[in-house]
Amino acid sequence: MTKKDFLRRRQDLMDIMGPDTIAILPNAPIANRNRDVDYNYRGDSNFHYLSGFDEPESVIVIVPGRPHGEYLLFCREKDLAKEIWDGYRAGQEGAIDLYGADDSYPITDLDDILPGLLEGKEKAFYTMGKLPSFDQRMVGWLNHLRNASRQGKHSPTEIIELDHTLNELRLFKSKSEIKAMRYAADVSAQAHIRAMQFTQPGQWEYQVEAEIIHEFMKNDCRSPAYPSIVGGGENGCILHYIENNHRLKNNDLLLIDAGAEYDYYAADITRTFPVNGTFSNPQKALYNIVLDAQKAAIEEVKPGNHWNQPHEAAVAVLTEGLLNLGLLKGKLSKLIKKESYREFYMHRTGHWLGMDVHDVGDYKVGGQWRELEAGMVLTVEPGLYIRDPEHIDKKWHFTGIRIEDDVLVTKIGHDVLSKAAPKEVDDIEALMAEAK
Ligand code: GLY
Ligand code: MN
Ligand code: MN
């Protein structure tokens, strides 16, 4: 993203905020891993969305119409000794020159300056409950102003959830956001191809994971968007399996759910393929049901359809497929109504995708499923997970299958951003055979 992108976003926010308002947004805190070791820092998505600024201990303040500057960035001061140990800091000059702040102050001055900025405003856009230690400070500043009301000071009478306001903006992706997401999806698709080419019986799941991470990093995606799921056989039936520490067995399927993060944007792709390169007949039968369900769901992604239509399409195809294989018994319409498929398909068919892998944005508006509109991006990810229920023939046991793509809603329909990752049985088998 460029400085212009961030400026446009702040302007969009200010248009919504209106006059006599203020927005306050602290960045995410550093998370400790163990003793002196912290997790790699990844800033709050909304903070990055507005600023492109990625240092911890920073706070964005936006005051529409403020004569001395509308966009204030509080951040760490430059400090050579600290920079030698922990890395570069933009400081106040950098906040203005590099990140387009109208004004910048040391983060240590926040308590002195914030009450003055809050004074006289009618509404404060701030998200309570996300960062309790910052909530305390906010309450302190507001109380300070309330206590000074006899001196004619006025404190905001309304607190409006800033995150919700930003979430609705983030739901609609701009051209440059779509470009970043397309790239993240492309790199991730290549990583899935690489995993298919690499996989052999006897390998450890984490060795396949290493191939995926290598492909991400080699292509400028420094981190996965979420911990990769690399689950062979029965581990493919664990929806959030991230241990990735078992050996791959000859006749098992391998389910990989992995996506790269590029410039703060996520891809989220799942592919399932045979460890030895060839699907068995039962595996193929189940796989093709999931694939048909996924294709039917993707067909429902178009403007004017509502959020739940892809899920409804997937559920109909999955249930019919299970019925045809004898894994469910009864009348199709009744099985769908009773949600009998839930024994084998217990999650929903997708979610919004963007800066967060489970991205922001409401799914219902006014109590109704939201209509899909151009610029939204969602995943379509049906699956079937058959562990070892006694009433099911053993030939189906421990088969976990999910196929997940990232789909952009366009003006006339959809565009599958992750289409470079093969998903037809023949294509996967040919790719794996060629790699041997
Ligand atoms: N990778 C998380 C999900 O598919 O929702
Ligand atoms: Mn996924
Ligand atoms: Mn997903």
Side-chain angles (χ1 to χ4, degrees):
M1 299 303 125
T2 63
K3 261 170 125 170
K4 232 166 109 188
D5 291 304
F6 297 114
L7 177 66
R8 187 185 42 73
R9 292 165 178 181
R10 292 192 296 272
Q11 269 162 352
D12 287 347
L13 174 63
M14 285 194 278
D15 287 346
I16 295 170
M17 290 169 68
D20 302 321
T21 59
I22 181 170
I24 301 167
L25 177 59
N27 211 347
I30 294 169
N32 185 253
R33 183 177 185 276
N34 55 317
R35 279 187 67 85
D36 289 345
V37 181
D38 295 330
Y39 285 102
N40 279 356
Y41 186 70
R42 202 279 192 182
D44 175 74
S45 295
N46 279 342
F47 194 101
H48 184 89
Y49 182 78
L50 286 179
S51 65
F53 188 76
D54 297 330
E55 291 184 25
E57 298 180 71
S58 49
V59 175
I60 291 171
V61 178
I62 291 180
V63 192
R66 180 173 174 266
H68 305 300
E70 297 177 304
Y71 170 37
L72 287 76
L73 190 51
F74 290 79
C75 59
R76 301 174 304 188
E77 286 180 273
K78 285 205 76 72
D79 180 331
L80 185 59
K82 291 221 166 84
E83 290 184 55
I84 286 171
W85 284 90
D86 295 327
Y88 179 75
R89 294 172 172 202
Q92 280 58 62
E93 256 180 55
I96 293 168
D97 295 346
L98 304 174
Y99 294 94
D102 296 320
D103 223 339
S104 174
Y105 299 100
I107 187 71
T108 45
D109 290 357
L110 201 59
D111 287 321
D112 295 335
I113 296 174
L114 242 283
L117 292 171
L118 280 162
E119 191 194 333
K121 303 296 178 299
E122 292 302 328
K123 298 178 194 169
F125 286 73
Y126 174 75
T127 303
M128 282 281 178
K130 208 162 84 168
L131 210 57
S133 58
F134 202 88
D135 291 351
Q136 291 295 321
R137 296 175 76 182
M138 185 74 184
V139 168
W141 300 324
L142 290 170
N143 277 337
H144 174 84
L145 280 182
R146 282 190 203 116
N147 293 338
S149 65
R150 264 171 296 156
Q151 292 143 36
K153 295 199 173 169
H154 178 79
S155 59
T157 48
E158 253 184 277
I159 308 281
I160 297 172
E161 195 176 287
L162 175 61
D163 275 3
H164 188 260
T165 311
L166 290 171
N167 295 351
E168 286 299 300
L169 292 175
R170 277 175 51 191
L171 181 56
F172 297 90
K173 274 68 179 176
S174 68
K175 270 194 186 141
S176 40
E177 288 176 296
I178 290 166
K179 195 171 162 208
M181 293 189 74
R182 208 180 276 288
Y183 184 74
D186 262 340
V187 170
S188 307
Q190 288 312 313
H192 280 269
I193 289 172
R194 183 173 169 136
M196 288 174 191
Q197 289 168 328
F198 173 83
T199 295
Q200 301 276 352
Q203 283 159 344
W204 295 93
E205 291 164 341
Y206 53 73
Q207 291 175 324
V208 181
E209 184 184 11
E211 295 296 310
I212 290 164
I213 291 174
H214 186 129
E215 195 66 23
F216 288 175
M217 286 207 189
K218 203 179 73 169
N219 290 294
D220 308 320
C221 298
R222 182 69 177 74
S223 164
Y226 54 91
S228 307
I229 296 168
V230 183
E234 59 188 284
N235 297 330
C237 299
I238 302 170
L239 298 180
H240 290 160
Y241 175 78
I242 52 170
E243 286 82 0
N244 301 352
N245 59 0
H246 287 76
R247 267 193 204 279
L248 296 172
K249 294 194 209 115
N250 186 26
N251 293 311
D252 280 350
L253 289 178
L254 174 58
L255 183 155
I256 299 183
D257 183 344
E261 183 174 274
Y262 178 71
D263 195 14
Y264 266 73
Y265 286 84
D268 182 9
I269 303 180
T270 307
R271 290 293 182 264
T272 309
F273 57 91
V275 167
N276 63 15
T278 309
F279 286 88
S280 70
N281 285 333
Q283 287 168 348
K284 199 184 300 186
L286 285 170
Y287 184 90
N288 279 327
I289 292 172
V290 178
L291 185 58
D292 287 346
Q294 204 229 14
K295 288 178 182 171
I298 290 174
E299 277 311 302
E300 295 301 317
V301 178
K302 54 185 160 198
N305 274 8
H306 64 69
W307 166 260
N308 211 39
Q309 275 172 267
H311 180 66
E312 288 164 4
V315 156
V317 176
L318 291 174
T319 308
E320 192 178 3
L322 291 167
L323 190 59
N324 289 342
L325 293 184
L327 286 158
L328 288 178
K329 290 189 175 61
K331 203 168 160 241
L332 179 61
S333 56
K334 272 205 181 140
L335 291 171
I336 294 174
K337 203 159 167 225
K338 283 194 313 197
E339 301 188 350
S340 307
Y341 55 84
R342 286 186 67 89
E343 183 183 0
F344 308 117
Y345 180 46
M346 57 298 281
H347 60 77
R348 295 192 54 83
T349 300
H351 49 81
W352 302 129
L353 183 71
M355 298 180 82
D356 295 306
V357 63
H358 289 178
D359 207 36
V360 294
D362 291 336
Y363 291 95
K364 279 191 172 176
V365 176
Q368 303 295 320
W369 291 115
R370 181 171 209 146
E371 266 194 23
L372 299 176
E373 293 178 58
M376 295 171 163
V377 182
L378 59 145
T379 66
V380 178
E381 49 177 306
L384 284 175
Y385 311 91
I386 303 179
R387 298 171 83 100
D388 57 346
E390 271 180 21
H391 63 283
I392 297 292
D393 190 318
K394 276 200 166 58
K395 71 177 174 186
W396 308 112
H397 280 189
F398 295 122
T399 313
I401 298 165
R402 178 164 65 256
I403 306 172
E404 174 174 30
D405 278 306
D406 304 343
V407 186
L408 165 71
V409 186
T410 63
K411 281 197 186 120
I412 53 162
H414 59 257
D415 183 5
V416 180
L417 302 179
S418 47
K419 52 180 166 277
K423 60 183 176 183
E424 300 292 333
V425 164
D426 290 348
D427 293 342
I428 292 172
E429 289 186 344
L431 179 78
M432 294 183 75
E434 219 174 89
K436 279 193 177 158

